[in-house]
Amino acid sequence: MYMENIILKKLLRAQKDEITGHTIYTHLAGQEKDPANQKVLSDMADEEMNHYQTLAKYTNQSPEADKLKVSVYQMFSCFPGITFAIKLMERSEDKSQTVYQELGQIYPEFIKIKEEEDVHENNLTAMIKESKLDYLSSVILGMNDALIELTGALAGFTFALQNSLIIAITGIITGIAASLSMASSQYLAMKAESNNTKAAKAAATTGIAYLITVILLIIPFVISDNVFVAMIITLSIATIIIGIFTFYYSVVKEVNFTKKFLEMLSLSFGIAAFSFIVGYILKKTTGI
């Protein structure tokens, strides 16, 4: 009886995940304007419902969808996008797949469900076409360069200038010039590979991503008179930006979060440390 209760709880949890997935995919299909994406999402919703109904034969119960989870994923579908929402949801379904693997020896039908979760839904997800992902590399380029270049520049300015307002003004001038330069370079690079419209969008995306990052990194120097406190806050902001974006990137591209996060963090902070030393040397040698 004890084992039966454990099995029932696992089945009910998996069943709840399936109906939650069905509800989310149904909502996404209803909101999607692209017919091809709509078809894929509808197929995924049907798949989840089939699994739910299969589990119901064993539990004799009809658990409802997790309303909070549905609301969260509906929000994610708007920003940062459908692909992110779907792949993040697939990650959360790993526990259900473990249950199917465990109980497959008792109920062979669950092996089929696990195979469908592993193969069929992954194939469907790969079919989703989301325009914003076409410009993901441009966002990466803009943010990476801004984080690495400006964090390093601000660290150098902090010791060389030691005046928050001057550092902020110098930083924003440097940032605007660099963002325009990055956008121009991206436009020329993309123009050789695609049409003018796509190249212009990629360039704008790169420039805007760079400029937004610049503004976030400079804000501490505007609100704090203590340049070293401002620099610490800037480094904290840079860490948060790297963390958020790396998480998004790791979900969408299915790469290891920790490895990518540490890679970006070490680059940004390594260059910042080097620039800080350069600023110190220049201040001591020039006497400014």
Side-chain angles (χ1 to χ4, degrees):
M1 181 64 70
Y2 175 72
M3 288 301 296
E4 289 179 357
N5 287 336
I6 292 177
I7 291 173
L8 180 60
K9 287 181 180 179
K10 288 183 177 181
L11 291 175
L12 285 172
R13 186 165 59 245
Q15 192 178 4
K16 189 178 185 70
D17 286 343
E18 298 292 356
I19 193 62
T20 299
H22 167 77
T23 305
I24 293 170
Y25 289 137
T26 300
H27 170 80
L28 295 180
Q31 296 296 311
E32 181 58 42
K33 296 179 180 179
D34 185 282
N37 286 351
Q38 191 176 68
K39 175 66 167 56
V40 171
L41 292 166
S42 295
D43 288 346
M44 295 174 82
D46 292 342
E47 190 83 18
E48 299 290 277
M49 177 54 74
N50 289 336
H51 296 167
Y52 175 80
Q53 292 172 342
T54 299
L55 290 165
K57 293 188 295 185
Y58 296 93
T59 63
N60 292 316
Q61 295 187 43
S62 302
E64 296 182 351
D66 185 330
K67 293 181 180 179
L68 177 60
K69 191 173 181 179
V70 170
S71 298
V72 169
Y73 280 95
Q74 286 176 352
M75 178 184 67
F76 282 157
S77 68
C78 297
F79 182 84
I82 292 176
T83 303
F84 176 83
I86 292 174
K87 292 197 174 185
L88 186 62
M89 188 161 62
E90 285 179 354
R91 283 189 174 190
S92 69
E93 289 177 349
D94 287 345
K95 290 182 179 179
S96 296
Q97 293 186 35
T98 301
V99 171
Y100 297 143
Q101 180 67 40
E102 290 176 358
L103 301 180
Q105 304 299 322
I106 305 173
Y107 309 109
E109 198 168 6
F110 291 163
I111 295 297
K112 180 183 177 183
I113 294 179
K114 184 181 184 302
E115 289 174 350
E116 289 174 345
E117 295 279 358
D118 287 340
V119 180
H120 188 51
E121 290 189 0
N122 287 338
N123 290 341
L124 287 173
T125 303
M127 293 169 62
I128 292 288
K129 302 297 180 184
E130 193 170 9
S131 59
K132 67 178 64 175
L133 292 182
D134 293 338
Y135 302 100
L136 180 59
S137 60
S138 298
V139 175
I140 294 171
L141 181 64
M143 290 187 65
N144 272 359
D145 275 37
L147 285 167
I148 293 171
E149 292 174 6
L150 200 71
T151 302
L154 290 174
F157 296 156
T158 295
F159 212 103
L161 303 177
Q162 294 192 12
N163 182 297
S164 292
L165 183 59
I166 293 176
I167 292 171
I169 293 172
T170 305
I172 196 68
I173 293 172
T174 303
I176 290 173
S179 66
L180 292 173
S181 175
M182 284 297 302
S184 299
S185 298
Q186 181 72 343
Y187 176 77
L188 293 174
M190 289 291 294
K191 187 178 180 182
E193 302 174 3
S194 58
N195 57 58
N196 288 344
T197 301
K198 188 171 183 179
K201 286 182 178 179
T205 302
T206 300
I208 291 171
Y210 194 110
L211 193 57
I212 289 174
T213 307
V214 165
I215 292 170
L216 291 174
L217 295 178
I218 287 175
I219 285 175
F221 290 94
V222 176
I223 62 177
S224 176
D225 292 331
N226 189 315
V227 294
F228 297 105
V229 170
M231 191 64 221
I232 291 172
I233 297 173
T234 290
L235 292 175
S236 300
I237 291 173
T239 303
I240 293 171
I241 294 172
I242 291 170
I244 292 173
F245 186 74
T246 303
F247 178 67
Y248 172 79
Y249 182 84
S250 68
V251 171
V252 172
K253 295 297 184 180
E254 298 179 1
V255 299
N256 183 276
F257 168 79
T258 303
K259 182 180 179 180
K260 190 69 178 176
F261 175 74
L262 292 176
E263 179 184 282
M264 291 183 67
L265 197 66
S266 61
L267 279 172
S268 295
F269 280 39
I271 291 175
F274 177 77
S275 300
F276 192 87
I277 293 170
V278 171
Y280 173 79
I281 293 172
L282 288 174
K283 186 172 181 65
K284 288 297 183 180
T285 54
T286 61
I288 297 176

